[in-house]
């Protein structure tokens, strides 16, 4: 397999998971993070290239977003990473349908499933063991957290977090910039910017 150098953006917990999933498919050439003692350095020994505000405006290397905070990811994409080349990862234990469409810079974690004719927007995170059923449509920079399940034909707007272990019933439409709390069961559509918690899911004002 061709080896490529990748710069990770972030050096915290999510970066550990991304770095491990990269495995042998790419070489990590270093990372940017504000913390000099970020876990990625301590645990993997990768070189910290500088704080996040030192990312060069026209970074030449392939980058992979490796922070979890969706607002921070969005700011970085709107700023220094705007025109840069990005690297995506599908872990070897993930199952991605041949008919699914997966955008640029997407991270598909171990044991995640992306089923038939689903589409996943650029820079989304399909985290450990998450299930994205048939024909779901996920926008850019969506995070489907570990163990979350989206039934068939669910749509999720950009910059939305679908929290740990939550469930979304088939056909439900979730807006832009929403937060679905851990363990929630979402049974009806969710407007832009809403937070939904509980079983059945209720909007929190
Ligand atoms: O504005 C900021 C910021 N600026 C720099 N907000 C946040 N949240 N983080 C910022 N950072 C840098 O990102 C920090 O210096 C820190 O090193 C890194 C975030 O690391 P942390 O381990 O706190 O979180 P993470 O983003 O790597 O992982 C989160 O998201 C994952 C998806 C955690 O909640 C994980 O548990 C989760 N799996």
């Amino acid at each position: 397999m061709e080896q490529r150098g990748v710069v990770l953006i972030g050096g915290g917990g999510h970066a550990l998971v991304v770095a491990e999933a990269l495995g042998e498919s790419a070489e990590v050439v270093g990372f940017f993070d504000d913390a000099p003692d970020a876990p990625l350095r301590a645990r993997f020994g990768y070189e910290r290239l500088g704080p996040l505000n030192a990312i060069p405006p026209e970074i030449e290397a392939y980058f992979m977003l490796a922070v979890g905070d969706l607002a921070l990811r969005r700011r970085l994409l709107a700023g220094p990473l705007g025109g840069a080349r990005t690297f995506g990862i599908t872990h070897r234990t993930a199952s991605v349908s041949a008919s699914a469409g997966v955008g640029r810079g997407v991270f598909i974690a171990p044991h995640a499933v992306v089923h038939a004719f689903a589409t996943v927007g650029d820079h989304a995170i399909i985290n450990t063991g998450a299930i994205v059923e048939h024909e779901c449509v996920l926008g850019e920079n969506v995070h489907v957290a570990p163990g979350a399940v989206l039934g068939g034909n669910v749509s999720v707007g950009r910059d939305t977090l679908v929290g740990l272990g939550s469930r979304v019933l088939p056909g439900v439409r979730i807006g832009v910039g929403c937060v679905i709390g851990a363990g929630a069961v979402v049974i009806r559509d969710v407007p832009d910017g809403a937070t939904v918690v509980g079983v059945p899911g209720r909007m929190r004002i």
Side-chain angles (χ1 to χ4, degrees):
M1 185 180 291
E2 186 195 352
Q3 283 277 342
R4 278 193 279 193
V6 178
V7 170
L8 296 185
I9 310 298
H14 188 51
L16 294 178
V17 172
V18 169
E20 186 154 295
L22 271 170
E24 294 173 357
S25 62
E27 180 200 355
V28 176
V29 297
F31 69 94
F32 287 92
D33 194 292
D34 293 343
D37 58 348
L40 199 57
R41 177 153 183 246
R43 297 196 179 276
F44 280 103
Y46 292 136
E47 183 187 357
R48 177 176 171 266
L49 304 172
L52 294 174
N53 66 11
I55 299 170
E58 290 176 8
I59 185 169
E60 300 243 321
Y62 283 86
F63 76 88
M64 179 92 208
L65 268 176
V67 290
D69 185 283
L70 295 182
L72 175 60
R73 292 165 66 90
R74 174 55 69 189
R75 285 201 300 279
L76 291 164
L77 287 168
L81 302 177
R85 297 184 298 179
T86 183
F87 196 83
I89 305 167
T90 296
H91 191 265
R92 61 185 166 73
T93 64
S95 171
V96 178
S97 164
S99 63
V102 175
R104 300 178 318 121
V106 170
F107 174 54
I108 304 183
H111 302 290
V113 178
V114 177
H115 238 303
F117 298 98
T119 61
V120 178
D122 294 347
H123 308 291
I125 303 167
I126 313 300
N127 222 328
T128 314
I131 296 175
V132 175
E133 265 296 343
H134 63 89
E135 299 167 285
C136 284
V137 178
L138 276 51
E140 275 184 28
N141 197 36
V142 161
H143 178 189
V144 185
V149 179
L150 306 183
N153 272 304
V154 165
S155 70
V156 182
R158 65 178 159 77
D159 304 320
T160 283
L161 169 63
V162 181
L164 279 167
S166 60
R167 304 276 186 270
V168 183
L169 264 56
V172 165
R173 303 170 69 83
I174 298 174
V176 167
C178 298
V179 175
I180 308 302
V185 176
V186 184
I187 63 171
R188 53 177 63 98
D189 293 355
V190 178
D192 293 349
T195 295
V196 172
V197 297
V199 183
R202 293 183 194 285
M203 269 198 277
R204 210 166 60 180
I205 312 287

